[in-house]
Amino acid sequence: MSNLMAVKVRRDLRANWSRLALMVVAIAISLMVFGGVLCGWATVGRETSGAYMSTEPASATILLDKGVNAEVMAALVDRARDEPGVTAAVGRTQFNSEFRINDQYRDIPIQVFVAAPDDPMQMAKFFPQQGTWPPAPDEIYLGKDALALMTTTIGDTVTVTWPSGGHRDDGAEAASGTTVKLRVADTVYDPSLSPSPQEQRGRGYVSTAALAGSPVLFDQVKVVVTEPGQTEPSRSREAATAVASRLSIALQRDYGVTIREVQVPPPYAHPHQWQADSLLLSLLAGGAAALLLSTILVASMLNNLFTQQIPQIGIMKAIGASSGRIGRAYLVMVLIVATAATVLALPASAWIGNQLVTNLLSMLGIEATTLAPPTWTYAVIIAVGLGLPLLVAMVPLLRASRITVRAAIDHHGGTTQPGRATALLAGLGRIRGLDRGLIMALRNTFRRPARFVLSVGLLAAAGIVFVAGMSLSSGVDAVAEQAEAERVWDVEIQLAQPASMDRARSLLQPVGDITWVEGMSNAKTGVAGADGVPLTRTYPDQGHGSVSVRAAPAEATMLTLPKKIIEGRWLNPGETGSIVLNQITRNNTLPGVGAGDTVQLSVGGKYTSWQVVGIAEETGHGSGVYTTTEGLAAALGTPPQVNMLRIATSEHSEQTRDTVAMAASTALTNGGITVEKSESVSRANASSAGHMGPLVAVIMAIAIAMGVVGAIGLASTMSANIIDRTREFGVMHAIGAQPKSVRRIVVAEGIFLALASCLVAALPALGLTALLGNGLGTLFFSAPLPFRISLPAVIIWVVLAILGAALATAAAASRASRITVREALAYL
């Protein structure tokens, strides 16, 4: 580039600094969003996979119906290690319990993981923070993230009830339980589990030595499955399922044990991996949308800039400048703008990515080894930041640089034929009584259709995302509110073994503040596959991916049953041998099953055949199978019993709930019924509220970023309009127009554009809300979210759009009001 061209570029940069600054901001903001998401996505994927796999998680867990002693478990583990495809195996157990801290009752349940003192901890590992495995016989390690939830510290004494039969989440086996007092000696970091605050329960880790003098029963055979010729765990759930099923059949045949279920969670995936994936996919979509909008905006701004310079291009060509030299000069100017935007966006992208990673890993309960994103992410951000503006500049740049001298001289910046809208509005101007200034502003709004579409489109896109995001939040709130409204009880008590409802009610009768008690049965189950082995996707926490059979008396009022049947029918009173599946159970276990089909379930250690009479739709619930009380009793071969109690209290305060929970637990325990956990309904509400909140915040952040880009687009459009109409404003001043009248006309144009964008956004906002609600609801609940349009969001956006338009056009209006007749005549 020659010295004269360099001087030309420097002068153009100074003369158009405000417009170029807007371009830099528009590119930088969208690049920040895109780059931050990219950094976050790469870092979260790396850290999540590394942390989860550092625990050497089991590919499958074979859950026995009854616990076995250490000798039998050792034989089962040896047999498992001989199975082709199994490279490691170990025997474990775990149980849920109420607990006390320093003899003070806590309404939070604790999940205790148990291993033998000589367990080498080569698989299904966890990491003590100070000590080593095993703890002393009188010690317990607690999950690091559970201390605050459990309001305890190292050195406190924890009291738990150890069931005699090992792990019994469903209470199918009678177990008197043994009370054990243990000192909190250390904390444990376990990245294979979801965070305790989200699940509203503590986690404890002990060795079998803690139950001194009593035999400990093991009921889990954990195995790692690899592909033939490989050393890494298999990434195929189908392969892990095949090996675990084959091994289960062999264990039942050779050792006489009964397999309750085979748990095969998705390989290499944290229990809350779907949350992080959903957030990142939403962010990537939003970042791409913001980048696309800014790209369109930059292309339009460059086109306006080059159009403004057409007379100068004609003069340069007249004195000998070639199209190539002119094109290179403008290309340098675009490169300067792109470089400035990239320099601004690069550190901001790293910071946004850092914050995103911190929040997502906290949601996953994972501690990062490093927050630094991979080097390649910076290279991608730089390539996009520099390459995209150059790419979008090519079309307007080539068109401007190739213009002929004659065409440049003839260029006047206007259109030769008025549009239909402009002609119609000009006709309105002849009607008496209408404000001439507002009519002129309205006519000027439609004067350049391409700019009108761009400005309205940018603002409408931001409004669509904002309203859809807020409406999605309303849909999520509706699910939480519906779930909370369905929880009409105050205290829920999970029994360690089934009991007679009459006996439980008589034991609770002396407890004050209880107005009503209902009992129901809730048993974990597995759906048998083609080989008859019951399979689930259950994770080691025994919650995520599990399937439960729920039964309640026909007159129950505190168990909310599904209201929407999407196939078949609901259960008839007293019906046996029939079940209704919710859509989550069907989708996760038997995608092809329908009403009228027969399935096999493992219930209480027995394989039973059931006819599916209906498929129900539920949101806010996990996998579920519904039957009648009589149906479950017939399957178990026992009289009707309950293992879950729900209690309504006279006052619904948290203090009353805690008091009743403690008193009811004590009364049942003293009466010989072991309580696994008792908790206030607020715990269930807090657990459901912690799973979807971050998603809404992410969508709102995207909407804000797009709103900023839209405001910049409006400011750019108005600035370009003022430049094109320099002579027009000069004429207006010459015939006596006051500066305030000119400012009023220009600001009114911006407000008209904002109102037009709100009208344009109305229907697409409804569509996007339905699309997001359907997609995210299906992802989270296998059912669409309730369709809700947030009226506050609509009002807020209309107000913000109008105020933003007024502010965005203020600078252009001020400039227009100061244009003199001399400047207008001197304008090229």
Side-chain angles (χ1 to χ4, degrees):
M1 185 169 62
S2 66
N3 291 334
L4 288 177
M5 282 297 182
V7 171
K8 169 78 167 61
V9 170
R10 287 196 297 269
R11 289 182 175 176
D12 285 343
L13 289 173
R14 286 197 300 269
N16 299 280
W17 70 268
S18 58
R19 187 184 301 187
L20 296 176
L22 287 176
M23 292 173 59
V24 169
V25 172
I27 297 171
I29 289 176
S30 58
L31 196 59
M32 287 175 194
V33 175
F34 174 80
V37 174
L38 184 67
C39 292
W41 172 75
T43 307
V44 168
R46 180 194 64 205
E47 295 297 319
T48 301
S49 176
Y52 181 70
M53 295 308 296
S54 70
T55 66
E56 303 291 341
S59 302
T61 297
I62 300 173
L63 183 63
L64 309 181
D65 178 55
K66 297 181 182 295
V68 298
N69 60 35
E71 291 74 17
V72 175
M73 178 54 68
L76 297 179
V77 169
D78 288 340
R79 173 63 182 83
R81 290 169 179 160
D82 293 335
E83 184 69 23
V86 175
T87 56
V90 70
R92 300 276 177 86
T93 189
Q94 64 191 77
F95 62 90
N96 293 332
S97 171
E98 287 190 309
F99 75 99
R100 295 173 181 264
I101 299 292
N102 299 328
D103 293 326
Q104 297 295 315
Y105 172 79
R106 294 288 189 272
D107 68 335
I108 302 172
I110 185 173
Q111 187 175 42
V112 183
F113 297 87
V114 185
D118 59 351
D119 192 316
M121 289 295 162
Q122 294 179 348
M123 63 175 292
K125 298 189 295 186
F126 41 84
F127 306 101
Q129 299 296 278
Q130 301 296 330
T132 57
W133 181 264
D138 63 343
E139 293 180 344
I140 185 172
Y141 295 163
L142 295 183
K144 185 178 179 181
D145 62 351
L147 292 183
L149 180 68
M150 300 170 70
T151 61
T152 186
T153 59
I154 293 177
D156 288 343
T157 299
V158 175
T159 304
V160 299
T161 301
W162 197 310
S164 64
H167 170 77
R168 286 281 68 84
D169 276 341
D170 54 8
E173 176 185 338
S176 58
T178 302
T179 300
V180 181
K181 287 190 174 184
L182 303 168
R183 185 180 68 87
V184 180
D186 197 5
T187 59
V188 164
Y189 169 52
D190 190 348
S192 69
L193 303 175
S194 55
S196 285
Q198 285 195 16
E199 304 304 323
Q200 289 292 298
R201 61 178 170 180
R203 267 68 179 261
Y205 301 80
V206 300
S207 78
T208 55
L211 198 64
S214 301
V216 176
L217 302 181
F218 296 85
D219 58 3
Q220 297 177 359
V221 179
K222 294 181 176 291
V223 298
V224 173
V225 176
T226 60
E227 301 283 355
Q230 302 294 319
T231 58
E232 296 295 322
S234 174
R235 292 182 176 272
S236 168
R237 185 176 182 272
E238 289 72 20
T241 299
V243 172
S245 298
R246 190 172 65 241
L247 174 59
S248 298
I249 295 172
L251 294 180
Q252 290 185 110
R253 181 187 64 239
D254 299 339
Y255 294 89
V257 296
T258 300
I259 306 302
R260 179 176 294 276
E261 64 179 280
V262 177
Q263 302 170 347
V264 188
Y268 289 79
H270 186 275
H272 280 183
Q273 187 69 51
W274 58 274
Q275 279 186 315
D277 290 343
S278 302
L279 289 173
L280 289 170
L281 286 173
S282 300
L283 279 170
L284 282 171
L291 199 59
L292 176 63
L293 285 179
S294 68
T295 299
I296 296 172
L297 173 60
V298 168
S300 174
M301 295 173 75
L302 287 172
N303 183 67
N304 293 339
L305 178 62
F306 296 150
T307 300
Q308 176 193 348
Q309 299 240 339
I310 284 177
Q312 299 180 29
I313 293 173
I315 294 173
M316 288 188 288
K317 284 200 166 185
I319 61 176
S322 65
S323 298
R325 291 179 63 188
I326 295 172
R328 286 192 296 272
Y330 286 119
L331 204 59
V332 169
M333 186 165 60
V334 175
L335 184 60
I336 292 172
V337 170
T339 302
T342 304
V343 169
L344 288 175
L346 202 58
S349 296
W351 182 83
I352 292 173
N354 184 289
Q355 298 302 308
L356 181 62
V357 169
T358 301
N359 292 330
L360 286 180
L361 293 185
S362 174
M363 182 184 72
L364 295 171
I366 290 175
E367 298 175 357
T369 56
T370 176
L371 295 177
T375 305
W376 63 266
T377 58
Y378 293 113
V380 171
I381 295 171
I382 293 173
V384 171
L386 297 181
L388 198 57
L390 292 176
L391 184 63
V392 301
M394 294 306 297
V395 173
L397 190 151
L398 290 174
R399 185 168 58 243
S401 63
R402 291 177 178 176
I403 194 169
T404 63
V405 176
R406 176 170 184 148
I409 293 173
D410 289 340
H411 177 75
H412 52 78
T415 56
T416 57
Q417 295 294 331
R420 293 182 179 179
T422 303
L424 176 62
L425 292 171
L428 290 177
R430 290 189 289 270
I431 300 176
R432 293 183 179 182
L434 295 181
D435 189 297
R436 296 296 185 269
L438 293 180
I439 292 296
M440 180 179 291
L442 192 58
R443 185 175 67 243
N444 289 334
T445 301
F446 296 96
R447 187 172 184 173
R448 301 295 291 268
R451 291 180 187 173
F452 171 80
V453 170
L454 174 69
S455 299
V456 169
L458 289 172
L459 281 177
I464 291 167
V465 175
F466 181 84
V467 173
M470 291 283 284
S471 298
L472 182 67
S473 175
S474 297
V476 173
D477 290 342
V479 172
E481 290 167 3
Q482 177 184 343
E484 189 171 344
E486 291 173 353
R487 300 185 183 110
V488 295
W489 67 93
D490 291 285
V491 175
E492 181 178 271
I493 297 178
Q494 179 73 50
L495 306 180
Q497 74 274 357
S500 164
M501 184 61 207
D502 292 337
R503 182 186 174 198
R505 186 176 281 117
S506 66
L507 291 174
L508 293 175
Q509 188 172 5
V511 178
D513 294 320
I514 292 181
T515 60
W516 187 249
V517 179
E518 286 185 355
M520 56 208 69
S521 296
N522 187 27
K524 291 290 178 66
T525 186
V527 182
D531 52 9
V533 177
L535 299 171
T536 65
R537 294 173 176 264
T538 309
Y539 275 88
D541 61 9
Q542 301 302 311
H544 289 84
S546 62
V547 182
S548 297
V549 176
R550 298 170 183 153
E555 68 276 8
T557 61
M558 289 193 282
L559 173 64
T560 303
L561 301 174
K563 297 180 176 63
K564 183 177 181 180
I565 303 298
I566 57 179
E567 184 180 336
R569 62 173 176 85
W570 185 248
L571 299 160
N572 296 320
E575 185 175 8
T576 60
S578 300
I579 57 173
V580 170
L581 308 177
N582 71 7
Q583 84 285 3
I584 300 175
T585 302
R586 178 174 69 172
N587 295 346
N588 288 347
T589 57
L590 298 167
V593 76
D597 293 338
T598 300
V599 298
Q600 278 202 327
L601 302 179
S602 170
V603 182
K606 298 180 180 180
Y607 295 90
T608 53
S609 294
W610 302 77
Q611 184 181 35
V612 179
V613 298
I615 307 296
E617 181 178 283
E618 292 186 283
T619 55
H621 298 272
S623 297
V625 179
Y626 293 91
T627 188
T628 62
T629 300
E630 295 79 5
L632 184 58
L636 294 173
T638 62
Q641 293 179 313
V642 299
N643 65 352
M644 180 186 293
L645 301 173
R646 286 178 175 171
I647 299 172
T649 62
S650 57
E651 295 183 14
H652 305 298
S653 66
E654 200 60 33
Q655 181 178 359
T656 302
R657 290 168 176 169
D658 290 343
T659 301
V660 170
M662 181 172 62
S665 175
T666 301
L668 292 170
T669 302
N670 292 339
I673 299 178
T674 303
V675 174
E676 185 175 276
K677 66 176 182 177
S678 61
E679 59 183 351
S680 164
V681 67
S682 59
R683 293 292 176 190
N685 293 336
S687 176
S688 62
H691 285 69
M692 289 190 68
L695 183 64
V696 176
V698 165
I699 293 177
M700 295 310 301
I702 294 171
I704 291 172
M706 294 178 69
V708 172
V709 173
I712 292 173
L714 179 58
S716 171
T717 297
M718 295 308 300
S719 177
N721 285 343
I722 297 306
I723 292 172
D724 282 351
R725 291 155 54 198
T726 298
R727 293 176 180 174
E728 176 186 327
F729 289 122
V731 172
M732 291 174 63
H733 286 300
I735 62 176
Q738 297 296 316
K740 65 178 182 180
S741 299
V742 175
R743 285 195 298 269
R744 179 168 171 265
I745 291 171
V746 175
V747 171
E749 290 178 32
I751 293 176
F752 286 144
L753 286 170
L755 292 174
S757 74
C758 293
L759 293 176
V760 169
L763 290 179
L766 298 177
L768 183 61
T769 300
L771 183 63
L772 288 175
N774 182 72
L776 295 176
T778 301
L779 180 64
F780 280 79
F781 307 118
S782 295
L785 290 176
F787 182 77
R788 297 285 188 275
I789 291 296
S790 173
L791 183 59
V794 175
I795 296 173
I796 290 171
W797 181 254
V798 171
V799 172
L800 288 178
I802 293 174
L803 290 178
L807 293 175
T809 55
S814 178
R815 178 179 177 184
S817 67
R818 295 195 304 268
I819 292 176
T820 65
V821 177
R822 181 188 182 98
E823 290 174 335
L825 293 175
Y827 176 71
L828 285 175

